[in-house]
């Protein structure tokens, strides 16, 4: 079965700083890749997804992620974070239909 | 995307009792999933529920502890049986989307004393 690794447990940034959250997965075949966000007190929401085509995908709220197949990575980026981006971010991989695996999550704290 | 509701949103239960969590979707879906999110941890899949068949459980989860019902295409329940403090967690249901993504309900926060 596939596994997902998120390198950073907790990231603290100041507003306007750039963000990159790492995500690596282990699976040799075709994968669908996702980033989910969980704002404080709210439920999980899909931020962006990749399943084919352009490896650079854009999501909501200015987030983007790049799929690098050779590195088995799907890092999340945002050029300038805002205080409202404070949340928990989860990378997920779905290699076989309906077998989604989540990373441990990265807590992002943005200081105003 | 689907709109998913869960009841109850939170509960505090005594050791040894059972709690049934309901998940309602606003559209018919084939697959429904139940996850557990323990404090400070990621999501762990408990089981997958198809309408009209037995749920498929992941390693480490058994039907006697987490019985699941799926009576129709818009509804499912998860029961946490004979609870202990280790069962304190957030329980989430989700449904599959068009391209293998999943949409999540708001979760049920369970505290077992």
């Amino acid at each position: 079965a596939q596994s997902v690794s998120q390198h950073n447990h907790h990231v603290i940034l100041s507003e306007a700083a750039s963000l990159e959250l790492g995500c690596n997965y282990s699976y040799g075949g075709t994968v669908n890749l996702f980033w989910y966000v969980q704002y404080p007190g709210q439920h999980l929401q899909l931020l962006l997804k990749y399943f084919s085509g352009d490896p650079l995908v854009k999501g909501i709220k200015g987030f983007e992620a790049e799929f690098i197949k050779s590195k088995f990575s799907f890092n999340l980026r945002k050029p300038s974070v805002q205080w409202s981006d404070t949340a928990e971010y989860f990378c997920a991989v779905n290699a076989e239909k309906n077998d989604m695996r989540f990373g441990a999550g990265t807590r992002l704290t943005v200081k105003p | 995307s689907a709109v998913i509701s869960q009841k109850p949103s939170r509960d505090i239960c005594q050791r040894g009792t059972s709690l049934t969590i309901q998940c309602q979707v606003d559209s018919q879906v084939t697959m429904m999933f139940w996850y557990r999110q323990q404090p400070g941890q990621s999501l762990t899949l408990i089981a997958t529920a198809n309408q009209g068949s037995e749920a498929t459980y992941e390693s480490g989860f058994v039907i006697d502890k987490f019985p699941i019902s799926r009576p129709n295409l818009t509804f499912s329940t998860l029961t946490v049986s004979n609870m202990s403090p280790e069962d304190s967690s957030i329980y989430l249901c989700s449904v599959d989307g068009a391209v293998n993504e999943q949409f999540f309900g708001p979760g049920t926060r369970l505290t077992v004393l």
Side-chain angles (χ1 to χ4, degrees):
Chain A
Q2 66 272 24
S3 64
V4 184
S5 299
Q6 291 184 241
H7 314 301
N8 310 103
H9 180 64
H10 190 189
V11 173
I12 302 173
L13 296 173
S14 298
E15 275 195 315
S18 64
L19 170 72
E20 182 159 1
L21 301 181
C23 173
N24 285 89
Y25 65 93
S26 63
Y27 187 75
T30 302
V31 293
N32 298 319
L33 300 157
F34 309 86
W35 277 97
Y36 284 85
V37 60
Q38 188 171 29
Y39 297 103
Q42 297 187 29
H43 62 280
L44 273 169
Q45 302 172 40
L46 183 65
L47 198 56
L48 50 77
K49 62 188 176 187
Y50 169 84
F51 51 95
S52 67
D54 189 345
L56 183 63
V57 293
K58 295 189 183 299
I60 60 173
K61 303 186 180 184
F63 286 90
E64 64 179 30
E66 184 175 14
F67 170 48
I68 303 179
K69 189 174 182 179
S70 61
K71 295 184 178 180
F72 298 90
S73 70
F74 190 56
N75 292 354
L76 181 71
R77 300 194 293 249
K78 185 170 183 179
S80 176
V81 293
Q82 301 173 318
W83 175 80
S84 59
D85 293 325
T86 295
E88 187 101 20
Y89 292 82
F90 295 94
C91 180
V93 175
N94 194 340
E96 302 171 15
K97 186 167 177 60
N98 303 317
D99 186 18
M100 185 172 286
R101 305 290 167 169
F102 285 82
T106 298
R107 181 182 303 176
L108 172 65
T109 300
V110 180
K111 295 182 175 180
Chain B
S1 65
V3 177
I4 304 167
S5 60
Q6 285 185 233
K7 289 182 181 179
S9 59
R10 58 178 62 225
D11 207 342
I12 300 173
C13 300
Q14 295 296 320
R15 181 195 299 261
T17 62
S18 298
L19 176 72
T20 295
I21 302 167
Q22 299 178 7
C23 179
Q24 180 76 52
V25 189
D26 69 341
S27 58
Q28 293 184 340
V29 294
T30 305
M31 310 286 284
M32 295 181 77
F33 309 88
W34 286 99
Y35 287 84
R36 182 173 71 184
Q37 186 178 17
Q38 292 181 302
Q41 297 187 27
S42 186
L43 285 78
T44 302
L45 181 64
I46 297 172
T48 302
N50 280 338
Q51 190 268 336
S53 63
E54 292 286 331
T56 303
Y57 288 82
E58 295 297 304
S59 175
F61 298 96
V62 295
I63 188 171
D64 290 345
K65 175 68 176 177
F66 297 101
I68 289 171
S69 77
R70 183 79 201 274
N72 57 53
L73 291 173
T74 64
F75 187 78
S76 178
T77 67
L78 169 76
T79 298
V80 186
S81 304
N82 188 25
M83 288 183 284
S84 66
E86 292 71 34
D87 294 320
S88 297
S89 185
I90 297 173
Y91 292 85
L92 299 131
C93 72
S94 73
V95 303
D96 61 326
V99 199
N100 289 346
E101 73 264 59
Q102 290 184 17
F103 300 103
F104 287 83
T108 295
R109 184 181 295 272
L110 171 62
T111 301
V112 184
L113 303 177

